[in-house]
Amino acid sequence: MPRNLPDEPRPRDPNSTPTIAERRRLLDVNRAAAMFYRRELLRAKKSWARTYLTDAGVGEVLDPGSSWAIGYAPDSRSRLVDSLRSRGFDLASVRNAGLGLLDPDDRTIDRLRDHLILPARNERLETVGFIGMRTTTAPYYMASPASQVYRRSNALVGVAEQLDLLSEGAVPVLVNHPVDALAVERISRLSIGRWAGIPLCDTLLSVQQAALLARYTSADTAIVAVPHAAAAQRAATGFLDDLNRFFPRIWAVELPSMFPDGPPHDDQTAQQALHDALLVTRPLSDYRRPKQRRPRRQDGPASEAPGHGPEL
């Protein structure tokens, strides 16, 4: 397993501005990591990741020609690090990109292990980081740490994969789970290309992400998928302020679940339900909870509690 060398440079401050050479090196190592993760998914025939995608009805992403570069981080201490080292990348660059970390013995090991991997891209659609997903009773996510080229709030998943749809007028549909995003895209391609699914993966939308999305979207509308729980619906209205800067119309939609433990994605009835739901939207602002007015303060002595007379 690769060890740190005594003369290796100290980790770069993620808040510092990279030189042109540093930026190129970080982009190159992320690009190589994306290829590694993709290759691991395609050849891991018996992994839970392949089973999960197939059961979710999105097995088309396992086609080598898929536009979605979804990958798999193997359950290994340093398989990615070893692969990147064999391609000429130094350990400092691997760690600075957020792909590796030090173990107690000062060995550089893989940061993401046994995760489905989604590449996150910046405003230039360059791969700058990754979001790993695991699932037990519910999905949870682990993102690359901040680096000189990556902030989770400055990158999105799914834009590059659906660039053709977005440039031709498809409306972005902001969902949480990647399976829902893939389901929306599939319905769109089976019909007339009305929508593009953008997964946020438990991230609150930022103004930078809204700007990135608008940069590659020709439509003047965005749709936010809202959960069925009332509290979560009100929380989704937090997207309004940032989206309104770039999209004149912000709509909301309540989608049926496309998770593997729900209706199968490739079932015709489930697909029809998803298609029909996407056609029924309403203003996202409708979910905003009206502000409660405070009672006016009355002057004079405090009133006595009802039902009690003066005490002797």
Side-chain angles (χ1 to χ4, degrees), residues 88-107:
F89 294 103
D90 58 277
L91 292 175
S93 295
V94 173
R95 292 194 303 274
N96 287 336
L99 297 166
L101 71 163
L102 293 175
D103 71 1
D105 296 323
D106 283 341
R107 297 176 184 270

Side-chain angles (χ1 to χ4, degrees), residues 180-196:
D180 291 333
L182 290 163
V184 169
E185 185 212 18
R186 187 177 189 187
I187 285 294
S188 184
R189 295 194 185 279
L190 289 174
S191 53
I192 56 175
R194 294 181 178 181
W195 309 284

Side-chain angles (χ1 to χ4, degrees), residues 6-307:
D7 59 347
E8 281 187 345
R10 298 178 64 183
R12 298 293 293 173
D13 180 357
N15 295 314
S16 64
T17 301
T19 65
I20 294 176
E22 287 173 336
R23 187 177 189 279
R24 184 182 301 115
R25 187 159 53 247
L26 290 173
L27 293 177
D28 286 345
V29 72
N30 275 308
R31 189 180 305 112
M35 294 173 61
F36 168 86
Y37 289 138
R38 181 65 176 165
R39 184 172 64 249
E40 288 295 311
L41 177 65
L42 295 181
R43 74 181 187 182
K45 303 297 184 182
K46 296 183 180 180
S47 71
W48 70 265
R50 289 181 66 98
T51 301
Y52 181 84
L53 293 169
T54 301
D55 290 348
V58 293
E60 63 267 19
V61 300
L62 299 174
D63 187 323
S66 172
S67 63
W68 287 81
I70 295 176
Y72 173 65
D75 190 11
S76 170
R77 282 179 61 80
S78 64
R79 193 181 299 175
L80 171 65
V81 171
D82 294 342
S83 174
L84 294 175
R85 287 268 287 181
S86 70
R87 299 191 59 177
F89 294 103
D90 58 277
L91 292 175
S93 295
V94 173
R95 292 194 303 274
N96 287 336
L99 297 166
L101 71 163
L102 293 175
D103 71 1
D105 296 323
D106 283 341
R107 297 176 184 270
T108 302
I109 60 175
D110 297 354
R111 180 178 293 274
L112 291 170
R113 287 178 281 173
D114 198 25
H115 282 75
L116 263 174
I117 298 294
L118 301 155
R121 294 183 170 91
N122 64 7
E123 74 283 354
R124 299 180 183 179
L125 301 185
E126 300 163 321
T127 299
V128 290
F130 300 92
I131 295 178
M133 190 192 84
R134 289 290 306 274
T135 179
T136 51
T137 55
Y140 67 94
Y141 305 91
M142 178 178 177
S144 298
S147 73
Q148 289 177 290
V149 296
Y150 174 70
R151 294 287 187 282
R152 193 168 182 184
S153 61
N154 290 357
L156 278 177
V157 173
V159 175
E161 292 84 349
Q162 300 167 91
L163 197 57
D164 59 326
L165 291 174
L166 292 168
S167 63
E168 293 172 5
V171 174
V173 181
L174 301 176
V175 299
N176 188 51
H177 198 287
V179 166
D180 291 333
L182 290 163
V184 169
E185 185 212 18
R186 187 177 189 187
I187 285 294
S188 184
R189 295 194 185 279
L190 289 174
S191 53
I192 56 175
R194 294 181 178 181
W195 309 284
I198 306 297
L200 296 181
C201 306
D202 280 353
T203 300
L204 294 177
L205 187 75
S206 69
V207 65
Q208 295 91 343
Q209 289 173 318
L212 191 165
L213 186 59
R215 179 175 182 174
Y216 294 100
T217 301
S218 61
D220 65 354
T221 303
I223 298 175
V224 177
V226 295
H228 294 288
Q233 289 176 351
R234 290 192 294 271
T237 62
F239 295 176
L240 271 171
D241 292 337
D242 290 333
L243 286 173
N244 271 329
R245 298 188 185 196
F246 308 98
F247 295 93
R249 297 188 298 174
I250 315 297
W251 299 100
V253 64
E254 297 183 32
L255 297 180
S257 173
M258 303 304 291
F259 284 67
D261 56 353
H265 175 175
D266 57 352
D267 178 77
Q268 187 173 359
T269 302
Q271 290 192 46
Q272 187 64 49
L274 175 61
H275 180 270
D276 293 346
L278 286 166
L279 295 176
V280 182
T281 59
R282 56 189 287 195
L284 180 58
S285 57
D286 286 359
Y287 290 88
R288 261 190 174 155
R289 186 177 184 178
K291 293 183 179 180
Q292 294 183 350
R293 298 179 60 183
R294 292 183 178 181
R296 294 184 61 182
R297 185 174 179 179
Q298 297 180 353
D299 296 329
S303 59
E304 298 169 349

